[in-house]
Amino acid sequence: MPIKASLPPEPEFGVPLSPNHPSPETLKLLALRRSTPVAALSEPGPAADDLDAMLRLAMRVPDHRKLEPWRVVIIEGEARARFGDVLAAARHLRDPDATPEQLATERALPFRAPVILCVVSSPVHDKKGTPVWEQQLSAGAFCQNLLIASQAMGWAGVWISEDAAYDGHVHAALGLSGHEQVAGFIYLGTAKEQPIERQRADVSAKATRWTG
């Protein structure tokens, strides 16, 4: 069941903060976290105050030199139909031979969930030359924070890209500038069914100790 986030007040700038926050519930969430396949999402979705809380949490993300190299476009309600038209037009531009059925499928994509958060990677070219790659990683971490925050609040979600994330027509419709990219679309809603566990990486196969 979704819960209303009871967040502490935002700390004032410059105040000391704890370097750690022991939390068995956080460890449990991370140990069991699983995205819900987009086909298993349905109504209802998070309301405006839920989204505000999620975004506040997502923004507490590693961000070298405090550049805030990300932003979010919220797509919900009737705007999903207009976004569906954009996806269909983009498909037609990529594939002029697309059938009416294929275009109808594109129009239906935004209705797979009640809320879509388009996370935009928006690197800043600062005087100190902060690497763009670091800023893009921050946008990726922003997406992960959104998933964790939404699940902790009782919502189901998934981070996907699909063709839309790399399509110039979609970028223009969403107001992206030339230097921006879609880090991902976070689809949020209520799970119609429980997602099943997937294959996980073996720590011993992915972690090594460097000894010089």
Side-chain angles (χ1 to χ4, degrees):
M1 279 292 291
I3 62 172
K4 289 297 179 185
S6 180
L7 304 180
E10 292 214 52
E12 293 184 12
F13 176 75
V15 302
L17 295 176
S18 173
N20 55 62
H21 301 271
S23 171
E25 282 299 310
T26 301
L27 297 177
K28 179 180 178 182
L29 185 157
L30 292 173
L32 301 178
R33 198 208 70 79
R34 170 73 166 92
S35 295
T36 299
V38 71
L41 293 174
S42 67
E43 302 279 352
D49 56 345
D50 297 315
L51 293 175
D52 286 347
M54 286 179 208
L55 292 171
R56 174 183 159 187
L57 295 171
M59 290 178 186
R60 295 192 72 87
V61 69
D63 173 15
H64 189 191
R65 297 199 172 104
K66 303 177 287 297
L67 298 178
E68 302 174 12
W70 20 253
R71 59 189 184 87
V72 179
V73 180
I74 302 171
I75 305 169
E76 58 186 345
E78 295 180 1
R80 292 177 298 166
R82 294 188 286 275
F83 187 50
D85 290 339
V86 169
L87 297 182
R91 172 66 184 271
H92 183 68
L93 289 170
R94 294 194 307 270
D95 178 12
D97 295 325
T99 66
E101 292 77 14
Q102 289 172 323
L103 298 181
T105 296
E106 295 289 332
R107 288 190 179 90
L109 292 179
F111 290 92
R112 294 175 293 180
V115 176
I116 306 168
L117 301 179
C118 174
V119 179
V120 179
S121 171
S122 186
V124 177
H125 297 284
D126 64 325
K127 293 181 180 179
K128 294 185 177 180
T130 305
V132 169
W133 173 236
E134 292 183 4
Q135 300 183 56
Q136 292 169 331
L137 289 173
S138 183
F142 188 104
C143 291
Q144 180 70 350
N145 267 14
L146 275 176
L147 286 178
I148 292 171
S150 63
Q151 289 193 335
M153 292 170 62
W155 299 103
V158 62
W159 172 5
I160 60 178
S161 52
E162 301 178 320
D163 291 334
Y166 308 100
D167 190 283
H169 181 79
V170 176
H171 288 188
L174 294 177
L176 271 66
S177 300
H179 71 290
E180 295 182 319
Q181 294 175 290
V182 174
F185 294 99
I186 310 296
Y187 280 69
L188 297 172
T190 300
K192 295 185 290 188
E193 57 192 58
Q194 289 183 303
I196 61 173
E197 176 63 330
R198 57 181 286 184
Q199 182 87 23
R200 299 293 174 176
D202 180 358
V203 173
S204 64
K206 290 294 182 180
T208 58
R209 284 182 171 80
W210 187 77
T211 58

